[in-house]
Amino acid sequence: MNPTISATELASELTGSRRPVLLDVRWQLGGPHGRPAYEAGHIPGAVFVDLDAELAGPPGAGGRHPLPEPDAFGAVMRRAGVSPGSPVVAYDGGQGWAAARAWWLLRWTGHEDVRVLDGGLAAWTGPLETGIPSPEEGTFAPKPGALPLLDADAAAAHARSGLLLDARAAERYRGDVEPIDRIGGHIPGAVSAPTAENVAADGRFLPPETLAARFSALGASAQGDPVGVYCGSGVSAAHEALALEIAGFEPALYAGSWSEWSNDPHRPVAKGPQPA
């Protein structure tokens, strides 16, 4: 299944016999909360999902956006109307990071029929509504483990003997700046692969063949082990995981990402433009 859907395709499906469950996951790192924007206008039928409170656990030693407890995540998805056979479409304001986080979590917990609206709400030209929907309770029961998940040790091993991509901006990878976490730099052996290079100027993903060429040039092999990916706190890394899947590779997410790694003073830190 294609992990993304165009606005035109979504408009058609919303009038069909298998209307997808819509998740509005508007969120911006350091920005205003997404709920007011949702209440001001959202795609008809969409349910708001709070990334910080519902798609992540409490911040701590495991990072700024550790994975939520599966039971808690399952309750959020059931409230939104998700059942085992439900098609689901997640969207955000256009950056794609938050919607990709919802996509990854659903896939990781065993729900296969989930896609991200390519280009987010910015690509939607249909009507918006302000009413808050009350969907029928779903029956989704999460079964974690359907996608590869890395801890810090596994991420380090990927960087040494496989491929570990760093999805943050290049200046954070190099350690030139670090506006959020304890120290700047990257996991030794990780390769810089900013998420901004996965999309065109309008926020839509580049064609599969273009993405495949990008990741191949960075060292990915379709016949090799899953490609490890991390970011600052595990959110934009989900966007990179989505791009990898579009390109035909199998991604493995390090959910704790740099916020977990850099919080441990015993973990080595590399700086500069090169992997080591």
Side-chain angles (χ1 to χ4, degrees), residues 21-257:
V21 174
L22 289 176
L23 307 178
D24 185 311
V25 203
R26 272 179 274 185
W27 171 88
Q28 186 175 348
L29 181 64
H33 197 276
R35 180 82 192 195
Y38 165 80
E39 293 179 351
H42 51 267
I43 298 176
V47 174
F48 181 74
V49 178
D50 187 330
L51 185 145
D52 288 319
E54 298 177 320
L55 300 185
R64 287 182 281 109
H65 289 107
L67 298 184
E69 289 296 327
D71 287 347
F73 174 68
V76 171
M77 292 298 102
R78 289 191 294 274
R79 173 182 60 81
V82 179
S83 292
S86 305
V88 179
V89 173
Y91 71 88
D92 55 28
Q95 189 177 38
W97 294 5
R101 171 74 168 210
W103 166 83
W104 188 89
L105 280 169
L106 278 164
R107 288 285 310 281
W108 177 65
T109 52
H111 194 82
E112 295 186 356
D113 195 350
V114 55
R115 291 162 292 171
V116 167
L117 176 59
D118 200 10
L121 188 63
W124 178 255
T125 58
L128 300 177
E129 69 175 14
T130 57
I132 307 302
S134 300
E136 182 179 347
E137 183 89 0
T139 59
F140 172 66
K143 298 177 181 178
L147 292 181
L149 176 65
L150 305 177
D151 61 12
D153 289 339
H158 256 74
R160 288 192 303 267
S161 60
L163 178 63
L164 181 67
L165 300 179
D166 185 318
R168 297 172 301 160
E171 60 268 23
R172 289 185 69 192
Y173 170 88
R174 294 191 301 266
D176 298 345
V177 298
E178 182 42 64
I180 305 171
D181 294 312
R182 186 182 68 86
I183 189 171
H186 58 269
I187 296 173
V191 175
S192 180
T195 55
E197 297 178 23
N198 295 329
V199 297
D202 60 4
R204 292 179 173 89
F205 282 96
L206 297 173
E209 58 274 15
T210 304
L211 289 172
R214 181 197 183 203
F215 292 126
S216 294
L218 292 171
S221 169
Q223 286 74 44
D225 292 332
V227 178
V229 59
Y230 76 98
C231 60
S233 68
V235 176
S236 65
H239 186 276
E240 190 112 298
L242 179 57
L244 283 160
E245 181 148 319
I246 292 170
F249 300 100
E250 183 180 7
L253 181 72
Y254 172 28
S257 285

